[in-house]
Amino acid sequence: MLSWLESYLADRPCHVPIGDATSSPFIASSGLPQGSSLGPLLFIIFINDISSCFLYSNFLLYADDLKVYLAISCIRDSYLLQDDLRRVSSCKRALDLCTSYAIGNHDLQLKKEVVNLVVFFDSNLKFSSHLDFIMPKAYAMLGFVKRHTDQFKSPYAKLSVYAAFVRLRLEYASIIWSPERKKNFQ
C-alpha cells in the first residue's frame, strides 16, 4: 500500500497554465495532484497536525487557507507570534527584537484588514467594513426585487424572491460576523 501511494505522489510531471500559455513540465517537490480523488484525504492527513505548531497564537484553517492571529498588546506578544510562525516554517533561528513577521525568508506585511471567504475582518476582529460592504449590495438588490416584483400577486412569491436575493446576502456567514450592537441592525 505504501509503495502504491509513493508511486502516486513521486516523480509526477506538472505544469502551470497562465492564460493561454503553459510552463514547461517540471517535477514538483511537494504537493498533491490537483483534482484527484485522493488529494483531499491526503491533504487532511498532511495538515492535520498543524495545530501543534501554535503554542500561543490562534488560527483559522479552511482547506488550504490558513489565518494566524494573536492580540498584540506588548512586545512579548510579538515574540510569541513570531515564534509560532517560525515553528510553522520549521525555521530554528533565534528570536529577534522586532514587530515584523516572516515565514521562512518571506517577510509578512501586517494588514489592518483581511478578507476570508468574503467576510471582512479588521485587526480588532470587528466587522464594520464587512457591513459597509454588504449593506449597499443588499439595498441595491432590494430595489431590484421591489421593481421587478410589483406585478406579483402572491405575497409568498415576493417573499421567496426577497429571501433568495436580499436576505441571502445579509445572512451570508452571519454566524461569524453576527452583529453585536443594535446600531448594526439599522
Side-chain angles (χ1 to χ4, degrees):
M1 177 77 158
L2 193 56
S3 296
W4 175 79
L5 191 58
E6 182 182 4
S7 72
Y8 175 72
L9 296 173
D11 300 322
R12 294 182 67 101
C14 304
H15 66 275
V16 178
I18 299 175
D20 294 335
T22 302
S23 72
S24 299
F26 63 94
I27 303 297
S29 59
S30 64
L32 298 167
Q34 202 168 15
S36 66
S37 301
L38 286 177
L41 174 64
L42 293 173
F43 180 77
I44 289 169
I45 292 169
F46 173 74
I47 201 78
N48 193 41
D49 65 344
I50 199 164
S51 63
S52 66
C53 295
F54 302 109
L55 300 180
Y56 312 107
S57 306
N58 298 304
F59 68 97
L60 298 169
L61 180 64
Y62 180 78
D64 63 348
D65 188 16
L66 174 67
K67 303 277 191 276
V68 180
Y69 60 98
L70 178 69
I72 305 294
S73 56
C74 64
I75 195 69
R76 182 176 181 273
D77 295 336
S78 173
Y79 290 149
L80 297 177
L81 178 59
Q82 184 61 58
D83 189 41
D84 281 351
L85 293 174
R86 284 193 179 112
R87 198 172 295 104
V88 167
S89 68
S90 300
C91 182
K92 305 276 193 247
R93 292 180 294 164
L95 289 173
D96 305 312
L97 179 60
C98 69
T99 57
S100 59
Y101 303 100
I103 294 180
N105 293 327
H106 300 285
D107 290 335
L108 301 177
Q109 293 180 339
L110 292 177
K111 302 268 183 168
K112 294 196 184 257
E113 182 177 274
V114 295
V115 181
N116 194 17
L117 299 174
V118 197
V119 176
F120 293 77
F121 295 78
D122 71 14
S123 59
N124 295 316
L125 294 180
K126 301 293 181 195
F127 300 95
S128 56
S129 294
H130 181 71
L131 293 171
D132 292 344
F133 176 75
I134 64 169
M135 293 307 291
K137 293 182 178 303
Y139 277 123
M141 189 53 69
L142 179 61
F144 176 84
V145 167
K146 286 175 76 173
R147 286 189 304 277
H148 290 86
T149 59
D150 279 348
Q151 304 302 318
F152 285 26
K153 300 207 185 299
S154 168
Y156 298 109
K158 283 185 177 185
L159 186 60
S160 294
V161 172
Y162 167 81
F165 291 99
V166 179
R167 188 173 173 185
L168 178 74
R169 289 178 187 263
L170 294 171
E171 291 182 349
Y172 173 75
S174 63
I175 195 165
I176 296 169
W177 64 266
S178 180
E180 298 173 6
R181 297 186 181 94
K182 191 173 184 177
K183 72 174 188 165
N184 293 338
F185 288 102
Q186 297 174 350

